[in-house]
Amino acid sequence: MTTHIYSGPLSMFGAKVEIAAREKGVPFELVMVPFTKDDAYEPKHPEVLRVNPVKQQVPVLVDDEVSLFDSTQIFEYLEDRYPSLALWPEGIAERARARQLEQKSDEVFFPNVIKLFGLQHDMQSAAAVAACAGCARFYEEMEGLLATREYLAGPYSFADIAFYMACVFADRKGAGMTDATPRLLAWRTRVGDRPAVRAVVDPMMRFLASEGRGVPAFLQR
């Protein structure tokens, strides 16, 4: 049975899953679900509704007898299913720290980015300034981690994939990195130059350009 990944042209979490699958060399069929001009995934794809009936969101992975939603859960499944190309560190403590970094990217950093959705016309508002400050504090924390390593958890991992994609969306919404975090900027280049990352992010940027939307400067090819 062919592995299917259901995603969308501007799905950050779907991009995370697709990058991970490509990094691991997993053969899969990518299904882009319908997407409307107002950023809604309509009409809902029947497989997305079957696997994720409550949230009705991508990403969804269907593989043999396994059907999953939620990018982190899919990460864990891919690691168990295809362990030879590991994307978590080897040691127990190291894996725990990497998992925490991936979770913080989704649940601590990205909520600041979500607050900026719809505020591009008013980036001097108190809400936008606070959200950008939250992103900046997180960038500083990650800058500190990179003082002794090339990637967030030591070796390249799911934590890097998650935070890279969150950073792409932060930049799109006005809370990108600055020269204040040079190690983090270099990290972003290292991750962004990986073939699996470019294979996913470049089409996303082409879609943005085709819609007349801004493409982050660091991703303009």
Side-chain angles (χ1 to χ4, degrees), residues 63-144:
D63 182 37
D64 291 332
E65 298 178 358
V66 175
S67 299
L68 295 171
F69 64 91
D70 181 82
S71 60
T72 302
Q73 297 301 314
I74 296 171
F75 275 177
E76 297 292 357
Y77 172 75
L78 291 175
E79 191 73 352
D80 289 340
R81 180 80 168 79
Y82 302 95
S84 59
L85 295 170
L87 284 174
W88 285 132
E90 288 186 8
I92 293 173
E94 290 77 11
R95 285 200 304 273
R97 284 191 285 267
R99 285 186 170 103
Q100 186 173 63
L101 284 168
E102 192 266 341
Q103 193 268 348
K104 287 176 69 175
S105 176
D106 286 357
E107 303 296 337
V108 177
F109 176 78
F110 195 61
N112 291 302
V113 180
I114 292 174
K115 292 173 184 176
L116 292 170
F117 282 44
L119 289 180
Q120 274 61 65
H121 67 289
D122 194 14
M123 291 299 289
Q124 299 307 311
S125 66
V129 170
C132 289
C135 289
R137 286 192 296 272
F138 200 89
Y139 291 145
E140 290 174 4
E141 181 183 347
M142 297 302 103
E143 176 80 358

Side-chain angles (χ1 to χ4, degrees), residues 189-200:
T189 299
R190 281 194 296 277
V191 176
D193 284 344
R194 295 181 70 89
V197 176
R198 290 201 61 167
V200 176

Side-chain angles (χ1 to χ4, degrees), residues 144-212:
L145 287 180
L146 292 168
T148 57
R149 61 191 73 169
E150 287 194 340
Y151 296 103
L152 299 179
Y156 178 73
S157 73
F158 289 120
D160 298 289
I161 296 171
F163 189 48
Y164 181 86
M165 286 311 308
C167 289
V168 170
F169 276 71
D171 195 289
R172 287 185 58 217
K173 299 304 178 180
M177 300 173 191
T178 70
D179 292 341
T181 55
R183 289 189 292 265
L184 195 58
L185 288 171
W187 164 88
R188 186 179 68 183
T189 299
R190 281 194 296 277
V191 176
D193 284 344
R194 295 181 70 89
V197 176
R198 290 201 61 167
V200 176
V201 174
D202 284 0
M204 182 180 283
M205 295 305 107
R206 287 196 293 271
F207 177 83
L208 281 172
S210 74
E211 294 280 303

